[in-house]
Amino acid sequence: SKLHRCGTRTGRGPPPEGQKRTFPTCRASPQQALGWSEEDDKLPTASLSQAHANLSKTKKSSHLLHIYVVQSNSDWCPSPCQGPTWELAAPKATEGSGYHLVEAAIWRQERRVAFYHFDQEWYETARRSNSKLCDGGGWACEAYQKWREDRRLAEFGPWSDEVDGSPEKLSTFLREAFQEILHLANQRAPDAKYVTLTYSGHGARADGALFQGAVSVSDTSTLLQNFTQVLSTKTSAESPRISLLNFGGNCAEARWNMLHELHAFADWIVASDLDVGGFQMTPEESKTADMSLIKKLGDLKTIKNGAEAGESINQIAASIVRAKGELWEKVYQPTISRQKLPQSISAFKSFESFPPLEAALRTSYSQTASADAFDKGASDAMCDVFSFLSMAEIHGAERSVELVNLFKALRPEYSSTQSMVSEWPSKSNGLGFNWRGWKEPPCDLQPITN
């Protein structure tokens, strides 16, 4: 329905440039709601296991803590934001399960950071804000704003004009705010076996900075070092690191420098080496697409399903990638084929498998007769890591095989739309070196050559 489509799109982000965010103008009945919910459709999804289907309402020990972070701006919801937006995106935890979801918003339009916990009951009312909160006068009103902010656990800001005008000072402000948020999040599920962090928003330079570059590389390192020190004291945790950093919705974050900076803090990192999304559905495609699958097969629902089924973080990382491939096939295939739209997603076993590959590539560089040939090979590969590692003429036949095998160990899960696109970028295999030019060679090889 139109309401389902509107809610799904509103939760994912701001409207395309030049368009305004609008809600349906019809007066909704109490039964009508924005977006999709499990209450609307009791059919199990593809990744829903029997363990999840039989989930007991009895309180379970914590299995997975999920910290979901968004960055809102005036294009998405002008200040004061009084309507449902990003808070509709993440399916809320089932009561009594081992899944714990907390959410944080960087409100750029209001110069504050807020930390929330929303449950399923809250969510069902939020989806029906027209009839439940706004007296049928629309989907946005002061009562909705109060409904959202009453679930706020902490707030930081508003930050000053001076901070707003300085990227360095804003980065420091955000680092300090999120240091407290991560601490508070951990307190809500201190016995969690796994901890995941998802950022929903645009990509940036893919250099290891968080939240579209709002938190600098150095501040990100400090923030995550502090958090992993906290995690190292958890006797329930499987590892003393973040289990999964999920950047799968951010454009072109699967770059070498990102892994170089962040691999030590996370067992898994999910990301794409290509632009994400960009689907321009025709009216007919939009009409026939099952929009509920966007949420059912999305990364947030997949994480929830896996956590409530008691799956390992390895299984959850793999499921995110496979569900994305299923989503492209079942919802977007006609659009992808018509637009010739390349999409990809990879799950990287970052902590365990990135250091051996980087060390082997450094050895190859040190033993290459010509540094210029090394640089030229990377440029000829259009900065695609797999294509470059496959060049026996650069690394030697034996070492090239070793490098390719190390790459496959690093990137065990990969999905793309290559079978749906007639003009696939020949040099795209899930991970790229950072560009030194504007989205073109030469490639930034400093982490390897220095």
Side-chain angles (χ1 to χ4, degrees), residues 377-378 380-395 400 404 407 425-431 433:
D380 289 345
M382 292 300 293
C383 301
D384 178 69
V385 172
F386 179 81
S387 299
F388 178 57
L389 301 180
S390 302
M391 291 180 172
E393 65 273 23
I394 299 294
H395 309 287
S400 180
V404 166
F407 175 86
S426 59
K427 304 290 173 52
S428 174
N429 294 280
L431 178 65
F433 294 113

Side-chain angles (χ1 to χ4, degrees), residues 91-102:
K92 311 313 175 192
T94 302
E95 182 183 356
S97 74
Y99 177 56
H100 296 266
L101 173 69
V102 289

Side-chain angles (χ1 to χ4, degrees), residues 25 27 58 80 120 128 144 148 183 201 204 213 216 249 256 285 305 310 325 346 361 377 385 387 398 405 418 425:
T25 57
R27 185 180 180 92
T58 304
Q120 187 66 32
R128 294 167 174 82
Y144 177 82
R148 181 190 64 230
H183 178 69
S216 69
W256 190 273
E285 289 167 351
N305 284 349
S346 300
L361 198 50
V385 172
S387 299
E398 186 175 340
N405 287 336
Q418 184 169 2

Side-chain angles (χ1 to χ4, degrees), residues 60 89 91 115 251 287 292 319 331 361 418 429 449:
K60 295 186 175 182
F115 180 51
C251 290
K287 182 179 179 181
S292 72
S319 293
V331 176
L361 198 50
Q418 184 169 2
N429 294 280
T449 59

Side-chain angles (χ1 to χ4, degrees), residues 294-315:
I294 295 174
K295 200 158 189 175
K296 292 179 186 179
L297 295 172
D299 51 354
L300 304 177
K301 184 66 166 66
T302 301
I303 292 170
K304 175 182 184 290
N305 284 349
E308 295 188 345
E311 294 178 351
S312 71
I313 201 64
N314 295 10
Q315 292 173 308

Side-chain angles (χ1 to χ4, degrees), residues 81-224:
C81 184
Q82 297 183 337
T85 54
W86 58 266
E87 57 269 41
L88 297 184
K92 311 313 175 192
T94 302
E95 182 183 356
S97 74
Y99 177 56
H100 296 266
L101 173 69
V102 289
E103 307 181 48
I106 304 170
W107 294 97
R108 296 300 289 257
Q109 68 275 49
E110 298 175 4
R111 296 188 183 181
R112 66 187 179 105
V113 180
F115 180 51
Y116 303 88
H117 174 252
F118 306 118
D119 58 22
Q120 187 66 32
E121 182 180 0
W122 179 93
Y123 176 70
E124 292 301 332
T125 297
R127 295 176 61 225
R128 294 167 174 82
S129 61
N130 186 304
S131 59
K132 296 286 189 179
L133 298 169
C134 300
D135 297 326
W139 300 91
C141 60
E142 288 185 14
Y144 177 82
Q145 183 182 17
K146 183 177 185 303
W147 182 250
R148 181 190 64 230
E149 295 303 314
D150 280 349
R151 295 303 180 98
R152 189 179 66 224
L153 302 175
E155 185 177 50
F156 307 87
W159 60 76
S160 66
D161 289 346
E162 180 182 7
V163 169
D164 202 56
S166 168
E168 295 80 10
K169 292 179 179 179
L170 180 58
S171 175
T172 299
F173 178 93
L174 294 175
R175 170 177 57 78
E176 292 174 350
F178 274 93
Q179 183 168 315
E180 183 64 20
I181 285 171
L182 295 180
H183 178 69
L184 293 171
N186 183 61
Q187 287 183 332
R188 294 189 66 85
D191 59 339
K193 186 175 183 179
Y194 302 113
V195 176
T196 68
L197 188 150
T198 293
Y199 175 63
S200 179
H202 296 294
R205 298 178 63 87
D207 57 1
L210 280 179
F211 311 147
Q212 202 178 335
V215 182
S216 69
V217 175
S218 61
D219 279 334
T220 294
S221 179
T222 299
L223 174 65
L224 297 185

